[in-house]
Amino acid sequence: MKKTDVLIVGGGLAGVITALKLVDCMQVTVVMQGDGNEGNSWKAQGGIAAALAKTDCADLHAADTLQAGYYKNDSSSVHVLTQEGKNRVSHWINQGLSFDRTQDGGFDFAREGAHSMRRILHAGGDQTGKRLMTFFTEKLNGRVEYLTGFAATELMIKDGQCAGARFINKDGLELAISANFTILATGGIGGLFSETSNDTSLIGSGLVIAWQAGADLKDLEYIQFHPTLITSQNRTVGLASEALRGEGAVLRSEDGRAIMDGIHPMKDLAPRDVVARTLDNYIQNGKRVFLDISSINQFNERFPQIAQLCSHAGINWQEGYLPVKPGAHFHMGGIKTDLWGRTTVKRLYAVGEVACTGVHGANRLASNSLLEAIVFGERTGEGILEGSDWGEIQCNKPRTWQTRLKSSHQLPKIAEIRQRVSRSLGVLRRESMLKEFILWTETYLDHTDQITDNQKAFTDIKKVQMLIAANLIAKAAVNNKDSCGFHTIETIEGEVRL
Ligand code: SIN
């Protein structure tokens, strides 16, 4: 069995930042599913929120974060995010991380939904994720071992502590790595849905293996839907950043009406859940919605990635109207951690979107996710270096429902899982549909055994992980009767509790 000091599962921003903190003192191995240049962090468009403007301060940023999260946030996490966030981002700017500037040399702060002021730093226009990932991966400079093409199948638990993880690749090749510290940085769950801004490989595998090992999960029902995924011929082709609306783009119905007028005082920059529900209502009623970008000057200089996405999809952005609809974007819930990335299983850490410090509450404030990756990724690395320990926590026993099923038991197609997840766990939820969905997943999950055919194993394991992740989320949704932020549930047919 391969051995390492630190095993990081996932190579997005949170994983890379944590690796950077540790790599001078420890042997770090990063295992990821893709080839390294994909994943959500690379795609991030809007930017990174940090209270660096002269008129801004961490307290204002915290107030916006709490308000957007409907005060379901953990206030200490919000304090850490916003207070430390600006200092940690400033540190990296001093180390050469660059953001777009105005002609007078100041930062060109952008605005996004539910922010009370311009606060978003961006790079290369709408290529912030790509620029950040390039900057930080270059800093690692060949000092970590990367293993690509391997998906995590389970955590190894020894004497009640996490001792590493097992993986499998598409050819059925299995790999086991033992580690003193295991860090899950596996990202979100957008790939559970038919429409998503995420890389479709993100199906909640980190959540599932942590849960199977006995870790506590938190806030699973809160899933953010981005209002404006660009669509072409009924297919999602990418994201139209909220920063477009920050620069004056307007959501319009087919007859040209500004659809956010009269819905919320912040109109197109209302909190994301309000905008997503409004669009969802139009789409569910068979209507189309467009993002009118005609007022944005020099569109393809400020938003080159979006211009390119449109061109590749055959959408003529020069005409000024982008067809849009909501899609799964970010999971506010995840593996419960403290402010140092520690889960409730000893020696198991979680960072980035898969983790839940409670910082986002019921709706994440725009551009707080890259900041979260930096702040809590660094804190996790610092905690490990300082040798902080768990003390006397009582770990849960590992759960039933293993990932491997009898190969004879026919699993549903991935497209069917996505369709059912989208119907039951979408923008608007209905209790009866959630209950039906839970039962459907359990007809598969109650048949656990070993798969013998390794070629099939990779896909089957992914399907089972999707079923378990969606089952756990649906149960959290059924158990929370209070509609709030990105958890809107109808209890009686046709009646929405708001
Ligand atoms: C966007 O660019 O609209 C997405 C930013 C975010 O989700 O924080």
Side-chain angles (χ1 to χ4, degrees):
M1 187 185 312
K2 190 175 167 55
K3 286 199 169 86
T4 187
D5 293 335
V6 180
L7 170 63
I8 301 182
V9 187
L13 186 64
V16 167
I17 289 284
T18 314
L20 255 182
K21 271 281 161 194
L22 296 167
V23 75
D24 289 333
C25 311
M26 292 179 181
Q27 181 195 8
V28 179
T29 304
V30 177
V31 183
M32 48 194 167
Q33 270 191 76
D35 68 7
N37 288 349
E38 53 203 23
N40 280 359
S41 300
W42 289 88
K43 291 184 186 186
Q45 294 179 354
I48 181 163
L52 293 175
K54 283 198 184 77
T55 50
D56 203 357
C57 68
D59 287 345
L60 283 178
H61 185 185
D64 288 351
T65 300
L66 289 163
Q67 191 172 24
Y70 294 89
Y71 302 96
K72 298 280 180 193
N73 326 53
D74 178 290
S75 54
S76 350
S77 309
V78 173
H79 180 78
V80 165
L81 178 84
T82 51
Q83 206 73 43
E84 285 188 13
K86 67 191 214 353
N87 300 331
R88 291 187 189 266
V89 171
S90 295
H91 162 81
W92 286 115
I93 292 170
N94 293 333
Q95 298 298 307
L97 178 63
S98 69
F99 291 104
D100 297 339
R101 291 184 181 260
T102 56
Q103 276 177 349
D104 65 10
F107 289 119
D108 181 20
F109 291 105
R111 178 135 190 219
E112 292 187 62
H115 283 273
S116 56
M117 65 173 65
R118 287 186 167 267
R119 166 182 295 138
I120 322 294
L121 295 162
H122 52 90
D126 58 1
Q127 303 173 88
T128 314
K130 193 171 163 189
R131 296 283 174 95
L132 256 67
M133 285 303 287
T134 306
F135 176 83
F136 287 115
T137 43
E138 277 175 13
K139 290 240 168 271
L140 279 174
N141 192 19
R143 291 182 293 155
V144 298
E145 180 183 22
Y146 278 110
L147 295 170
T148 57
F150 280 92
T153 55
E154 67 187 305
L155 293 168
M156 299 192 283
I157 302 293
K158 214 169 136 198
D159 304 327
Q161 308 196 12
C162 185
R166 293 183 203 280
F167 302 86
I168 193 166
N169 74 4
K170 285 203 166 116
D171 300 323
L173 185 66
E174 302 200 43
L175 171 72
I177 304 180
S178 77
N180 292 333
F181 305 97
T182 302
I183 301 168
L184 294 174
T186 49
I189 56 157
L192 293 175
F193 291 80
S194 308
E195 311 295 341
T196 180
S197 61
N198 291 186
D199 195 279
T200 52
S201 65
L202 299 171
I203 48 118
S205 56
L207 279 187
V208 172
I209 60 173
W211 176 80
Q212 286 169 325
D216 287 347
L217 308 180
K218 182 175 155 68
D219 290 352
L220 292 191
E221 66 275 31
Y222 296 127
I223 300 170
Q224 185 174 76
F225 292 83
H226 198 292
T228 57
L229 303 194
I230 306 169
T231 62
S232 169
Q233 291 162 351
N234 245 346
R235 216 171 45 86
T236 298
V237 297
L239 180 71
S241 173
E242 208 163 82
L244 291 163
R245 281 174 277 139
E247 297 306 323
V250 176
L251 286 159
R252 296 194 189 279
S253 56
E254 278 172 275
D255 57 10
R257 221 168 38 78
I259 67 168
M260 290 308 296
D261 279 7
I263 303 281
H264 190 278
M266 292 178 92
K267 296 186 180 179
D268 289 88
L269 290 176
R272 217 171 256 182
D273 62 305
V274 177
V275 184
R277 273 196 299 276
T278 308
L279 262 79
D280 186 64
N281 192 22
Y282 270 79
I283 310 279
Q284 295 304 329
N285 285 305
K287 295 179 185 150
R288 298 173 71 202
V289 179
F290 295 89
L291 187 62
D292 174 1
I293 55 166
S294 56
S295 65
I296 300 180
N297 290 327
Q298 298 175 311
F299 175 76
N300 65 340
E301 279 171 36
R302 172 66 180 86
F303 297 103
Q305 188 176 180
I306 301 171
Q308 200 183 37
L309 274 174
C310 291
S311 303
H312 283 167
I315 298 167
N316 185 358
W317 57 263
Q318 279 99 336
E319 286 176 0
Y321 262 42
L322 310 183
V324 289
K325 68 170 167 195
H329 183 59
F330 187 86
H331 198 191
M332 275 71 76
I335 305 166
K336 185 178 167 192
T337 69
D338 66 7
L339 299 178
W340 301 95
R342 290 178 295 195
T343 72
T344 54
V345 173
K346 286 186 179 176
R347 293 189 178 272
L348 177 66
Y349 299 78
V351 290
E353 190 173 342
V354 74
C356 182
T357 59
V359 72
H360 303 303
N363 173 36
R364 174 177 61 83
L365 183 67
S367 288
N368 267 356
S369 51
L370 295 178
L371 188 66
E372 175 191 20
I374 292 181
V375 171
F376 292 103
E378 292 193 344
R379 286 175 75 93
T380 298
E382 287 159 5
I384 290 174
L385 290 177
E386 280 165 23
S388 63
D389 206 353
W390 269 257
E392 283 309 305
I393 61 159
Q394 200 57 48
C395 291
N396 293 316
K397 289 215 165 52
R399 268 82 177 214
T400 51
W401 282 354
Q402 295 309 303
T403 308
R404 291 157 179 258
L405 296 199
K406 274 183 189 157
S407 51
S408 58
H409 194 79
Q410 198 64 42
L411 289 165
K413 290 199 161 57
I414 286 182
E416 183 183 359
I417 303 176
R418 288 187 172 139
Q419 261 168 23
R420 286 182 184 260
V421 171
S422 305
R423 267 209 311 268
S424 349
L425 281 163
V427 173
L428 201 58
R429 297 160 180 179
R430 189 173 292 167
E431 198 169 344
S432 57
M433 285 180 70
L434 285 167
K435 287 183 173 163
E436 202 179 294
F437 176 74
I438 291 167
L439 288 177
W440 178 75
T441 55
E442 291 179 359
T443 58
Y444 298 100
L445 294 171
D446 285 341
H447 294 259
T448 55
D449 205 345
Q450 291 291 309
I451 287 173
T452 45
D453 173 0
N454 265 0
Q455 293 293 330
K456 245 180 99 179
F458 185 87
T459 317
D460 282 356
I461 287 170
K462 291 271 123 196
K463 286 181 183 175
V464 178
Q465 287 184 338
M466 290 175 84
L467 291 167
I468 297 178
N471 173 283
L472 297 174
I473 296 167
K475 281 180 183 155
V478 162
N479 288 334
N480 184 351
K481 308 282 183 226
D482 292 323
S483 288
C484 177
F486 267 111
H487 172 59
T488 304
I489 189 156
E490 300 172 309
T491 45
I492 305 166
E493 301 294 295
E495 187 185 308
V496 182
R497 291 166 59 115
L498 283 171

